[in-house]
Amino acid sequence: MTDLHQPVTALAGVGSHTANRLANLGIYIIQDLLFHLPSRYEDKTQVYRIGALQGGMTALIRGKVEFTDVLLKGRRSLICRISDGTGFLDLKFFHFSASQQNTLRPGVFISCFAEVRHGYAGLEMVHPEYALIASMESPVAEACLTPVYPLTEGLNQSVLRKVIKQALILCSTRPELLPDWIPSAILQNYHYPDLITAIQTLHNPDDSVSVEALQQGDVPALKRLAFEELLAHHLVLRVARDKSNAWQAPVFAGDPALIKQFLQSLPFILTGAQQRVIADISQDFHKGNPMMRLVQGYVGSGKTIVAAYAALLALAAGYQVAVMAPTELLAEQHFKNFSAWFSLFDINVVFLTGQLKGTARQQVLQQLQDNTANVIVGTHALFQYSVNFARLGLVIIDEQHRFGVHQRLALREKGQQGTMRPHQLVMTATPIPRTLAMLQYSDLDISIIDELPPGRTPIVTVVISAQRRDEVIERINNWVDHQRQVYWVCTLIDESDALQAEAAEITAQRLALLLPKVRVGLLHGRMKTSDKNAVMEAFKSHQLDLLVATTVIEVGVDVPNASLMVIENPERLGLSQLHQLRGRVGRGTNDSYCVLMYHAPLSDTARLRLGILRDSHDGFVIAEKDLQLRGPGEVMGVRQTGAIQFKVADLRRDADLLDTIQHVGAQLFKQAPHAIQPLCDRWLGVSTDYSEV
Ligand code: ADP
Ligand code: MG
C-alpha cells in the first residue's frame, strides 16, 4: 500500500518525466505535494453579469458570441464579442488558430474567466480561459476557490492539480499517514485546525474562507502550517542545545594570579557589563559541559577583551584556543591584539588564513598538532583545512552573523575528543530582535554587553543630500587640520568586490585631488592582505588622514582617533549594517560624527529609516524598527549564508507567531517529546541532525 514517503511516481499518471519536473519544485515524495501550497487562488464560485463588471476585476462570465473577426490593423488579433443581455465584452487573442476562430462562431455560448480591462471599444478580456457551454443557463461556477500553484517549466496547472488531488485523497482516506504532531490541546488554545483539515482547506478552500483572507495569508489553516514550520526550526536548535548539554567539556577553574597580572596589564578597567559577562562565562567553564554562549554587545563595547579573558582561562588549564573572524582584516587585528595581550605570558599565538601557503602553513599546522601553538587566530580557513588540534578547549567565533547557523552547528564537532567537546563562545554586534533570536539562537545562552566604556561621547549622526558634497569635503579639511582622522565609505548595490573596489578607487582619486593637504589611503576587499595591513597600519599610526574604504571596514576596525565618518548612499544598506559601520567612530574621547550622504530623491521608507539611525544609538531598537520596516530577511542580512529558507512561513507576514513559539516548544518537550524529531524531519528534512554533522 502506498504511504506518503513513497516517491511521487507511486501515483497514477506520474512517470519519470513528470517526476523530474516535480523535483525542480522540491517535490520528491507524495507528502511534498501536500505541502506545495497554492501561491494564489482564482474565484470562479460566482458568475458575474457583464453589466456589473469593472476594470481590474478578475471574473467568471457567460455570454453568447455576437461576432468574431480578425483585426489586421496594428497587431494581428482575433476579436470575439460576447453579450449576456446586460452588456457586451470583447475577447481578444493575439495568438490563435483557425480552428479557434471556427469554434467561436456567432450564436455559440461560452463561459470565460480572466481579468477585465478597459479597451478601445469597451470592456475586454485578453487571452481568457474559456469553454463552450450549452446555454446561458449552463452551470459553470465552481464549488470552491481554484488553487493556482507555483509551476516550473514543462509542468502545467492541470497536471499539478491532478497529482496533488491524488495526494489529498490519499491522506483524507488514510489520515494515519499524516500524523498531527501538535497536541490537540495546543491547537485548540490557538484556534488552529488539525493538520489534515488545514492542508485540505488551503488546497480546496470552502466558503469558510474568503479569497482576500487567503491572499493575505490571514487564515487559521495557513497560520497553523507556518506556526508548525517555525516551531520545527526552533526545535532543531533546542535539540542541538540539549545534545550539547549531554556532552562533556573540560573545566577551566582559572588561575587568580594569572588573571590579576592580565587585568593589571590592561590600560583600562573592565566595565560592569564586561565583568558580568565574564562571570557568566566563568560559571559555564565550571560545569563540565560545553559552554554554548552568545555575547551580543554594542558596537565598541569591548567584546574582544572579554574573549581574551575567556581564552586565558582555557590556556591556564593547558588547552588550546581557536579564534575565528569573518574577514582577514579583522583576523589580523585580533592576531595582533591577542599576541600583545598574551606577550606577558608564555603563550604562542599563531595566525592562519587561506592565504598562508607552503612551509609556513605546514609549520602552523605542525605546531597545533604537537601543542606548541596555544592560540590560533584566523578566518574560516581554520576549519576548512585539515587542521588538527592537540587539545582544543575553546572556540571563539567573532561577528557570528557573518557566518551561518549551519556553519556554527557544524563547528561543534571540531576538536572533539571522545565524549569531550570544546566550549564555544560566539560574539556579535548585530542585535537580533528577541523574537528572531528564538529562530537563530535558541541553541545558545545569551549574554549582553549593554554598556560602553566610559568617556565615549555619543556619535552625532546627520542625514544630508549628496548635493552638499562640497560642504562635506570642506569639513574633512577642517577635521584633518585638527589632527583628526576620517573614514569615507563607498557603498554599491552590486556587491561584487570588483565593482566596489573600483568605486572606492575612483572616489579616493577624486578626494585626493580635491584635498591636496590630506593624506588619503584606500582599502577594499580586492587588495592583497599585505597591502591591506600596510594601509591599516598607516591609518592607525596616523600616517594617513583619510581612509576611503568599502564596507570591508564594517567589522572590527578600531582606530580611536578617527572620529568622522562619511557614508555615501546609506539608503542602500540595512540599518544594522549602517549601525555597525558607524560604530567605527566614537571609539575615542573626541566628539564624533557620522554623515549619511544620500542621493536625492529619497523614498519615504528610506527617509524614515535614516531618521531612525540618526535618532537612536541602541542597536536593539534599530534592529526592531528595521524589522518592522523591511522584514526579517533584511535584518538578519541577506548576504548571510545562514539566512533560513522557509516552505510556508513568511517572517514578514508571520512575525506575530514568533512570540508563542518558544512557549509551545517548551510545552512540547514536556507533553509530547516523541513529536519533536518527526516535526523537525517533516520541515527540515531528515538530515537536520546538525549536532552530528
Ligand atoms: P567590539 O565590542 O566592537 O568588538 P572592541 O573589543 O574592538 O569592541 O573594543 C573597542 C575599543 O574599546 C578597543 O580599543 C578596546 O581596547 C577598548 N576597550 C575595551 N574595553 C574597554 C574598557 N573597559 N575601557 C576602555 N576601553 C575599552
Ligand atoms: Mg569586535
Side-chain angles (χ1 to χ4, degrees), residues 62-73:
R62 261 183 308 226
K64 185 170 134 194
V65 174
E66 300 290 341
F67 64 81
T68 299
D69 228 346
V70 176
L71 288 193
L72 296 170
K73 205 172 54 169

Side-chain angles (χ1 to χ4, degrees), residues 26-85:
I27 299 171
Y28 303 96
I29 57 171
I30 298 174
Q31 178 174 295
D32 294 334
L33 288 163
L34 300 173
F35 291 95
H36 188 67
L37 299 181
S39 52
R40 59 187 183 87
Y41 299 86
E42 286 174 346
D43 187 354
K44 297 182 192 165
T45 58
Q46 57 170 314
V47 183
Y48 283 84
R49 291 171 184 285
I50 292 176
L53 293 179
Q54 281 164 2
M57 292 170 75
T58 299
L60 178 68
I61 56 172
R62 261 183 308 226
K64 185 170 134 194
V65 174
E66 300 290 341
F67 64 81
T68 299
D69 228 346
V70 176
L71 288 193
L72 296 170
K73 205 172 54 169
R75 197 169 158 198
R76 191 168 170 268
S77 59
L78 179 72
I79 298 289
C80 169
R81 175 161 297 181
I82 62 169
S83 71
D84 68 352

Side-chain angles (χ1 to χ4, degrees), residues 578-596:
L578 284 168
H579 181 61
Q580 285 264 354
L581 276 169
R582 177 172 65 177
R584 301 308 112 211
V585 294
R587 292 178 164 249
T589 44
N590 285 337
D591 295 346
S592 299
Y593 292 88
C594 176
V595 178
L596 303 175

Side-chain angles (χ1 to χ4, degrees), residues 267-272 274 297-306 330 333-334 337 341 398-399 427-429 449 452-454 456 556-560 580 583-584 587:
F268 48 72
I269 295 171
L270 296 178
T271 63
Q274 284 171 321
Y298 289 165
V299 186
S301 63
K303 291 182 292 294
T304 324
I305 199 74
V306 169
L330 185 52
Q333 195 173 312
H334 282 342
N337 281 333
W341 287 326
D398 195 15
E399 303 296 350
M427 305 192 290
T428 182
I449 309 187
L452 291 177
R456 303 253 178 99
V557 171
D558 185 34
V559 180
Q580 285 264 354
R584 301 308 112 211
R587 292 178 164 249

Side-chain angles (χ1 to χ4, degrees), residues 268-547:
F268 48 72
I269 295 171
L270 296 178
T271 63
Q274 284 171 321
Q275 291 180 27
R276 213 175 48 238
V277 174
I278 284 173
D280 289 345
I281 294 171
S282 308
Q283 220 171 31
D284 291 344
F285 283 164
H286 272 98
K287 284 186 190 147
N289 311 111
M291 167 178 79
M292 294 288 160
R293 186 167 292 279
L294 171 73
V295 174
Q296 283 193 44
Y298 289 165
V299 186
S301 63
K303 291 182 292 294
T304 324
I305 199 74
V306 169
Y309 190 110
L312 193 63
L313 297 180
L315 293 164
Y319 281 86
Q320 292 172 303
V321 178
V323 183
M324 182 166 86
T327 64
E328 290 205 1
L329 202 62
L330 185 52
E332 177 81 25
Q333 195 173 312
H334 282 342
F335 173 64
K336 285 203 186 108
N337 281 333
F338 279 75
S339 301
W341 287 326
F342 293 153
S343 63
L344 286 174
F345 314 105
D346 186 22
I347 290 171
N348 181 20
V349 184
V350 296
F351 187 55
L352 182 72
T353 69
Q355 299 210 354
L356 194 67
K357 301 261 156 46
T359 42
R361 162 179 293 277
Q362 279 313 317
Q363 218 169 358
V364 166
L365 295 181
Q366 186 56 43
Q367 288 184 357
L368 283 171
Q369 212 153 4
D370 60 25
N371 208 5
T372 49
N374 311 109
V375 179
I376 182 162
V377 183
T379 55
H380 56 285
L382 279 190
F383 295 98
Q384 271 183 348
Y385 296 86
S386 48
V387 182
N388 289 311
F389 295 89
R391 249 186 138 202
L392 182 62
L394 171 64
V395 175
I396 297 170
I397 305 174
D398 195 15
E399 303 296 350
Q400 110 79 30
H401 64 286
R402 291 294 202 93
F403 302 103
V405 176
H406 301 199
Q407 247 170 324
R408 181 178 83 233
L409 292 177
L411 282 185
R412 295 188 169 184
E413 296 301 297
K414 270 286 166 185
Q416 167 184 356
Q417 283 173 338
T419 53
M420 297 282 260
R421 301 288 199 284
H423 296 279
Q424 222 179 78
L425 179 65
V426 172
M427 305 192 290
T428 182
T430 298
I432 300 275
R434 192 185 52 80
T435 44
L436 287 184
M438 270 166 236
L439 284 185
Q440 282 234 298
Y441 294 134
S442 53
D443 58 322
L444 301 171
D445 294 312
I446 299 183
S447 300
I448 297 178
I449 309 187
D450 52 1
E451 186 184 342
L452 291 177
R456 303 253 178 99
T457 46
I459 306 159
V460 177
T461 302
V462 289
V463 180
I464 69 168
S465 153
Q467 282 154 359
R468 290 170 59 192
R469 196 185 179 94
D470 293 349
E471 282 170 53
V472 173
I473 289 172
E474 194 40 50
R475 184 146 169 199
I476 292 177
N477 243 339
N478 237 312
W479 208 256
V480 170
D481 271 350
H482 287 87
Q483 305 307 315
R484 298 192 193 169
Q485 289 164 279
V486 184
Y487 294 105
W488 183 292
V489 184
C490 303
T491 66
L492 272 190
I493 303 174
D494 189 312
E495 297 240 331
S496 102
D497 275 357
L499 286 174
Q500 288 225 3
E502 194 187 314
E505 258 162 44
I506 294 171
T507 307
Q509 279 164 13
R510 287 202 188 128
L511 288 173
L513 277 178
L514 292 166
L515 296 163
K517 284 185 299 184
V518 172
R519 296 165 296 174
V520 181
L522 172 68
L523 187 73
H524 59 68
R526 298 266 279 194
M527 287 162 56
K528 280 208 306 243
T529 309
S530 54
D531 293 345
K532 275 193 242 178
N533 290 335
V535 170
M536 255 345 276
E537 257 337 290
F539 191 61
K540 243 184 170 156
S541 57
H542 204 165
Q543 288 153 37
L544 292 172
D545 305 301
L546 170 63
L547 185 62

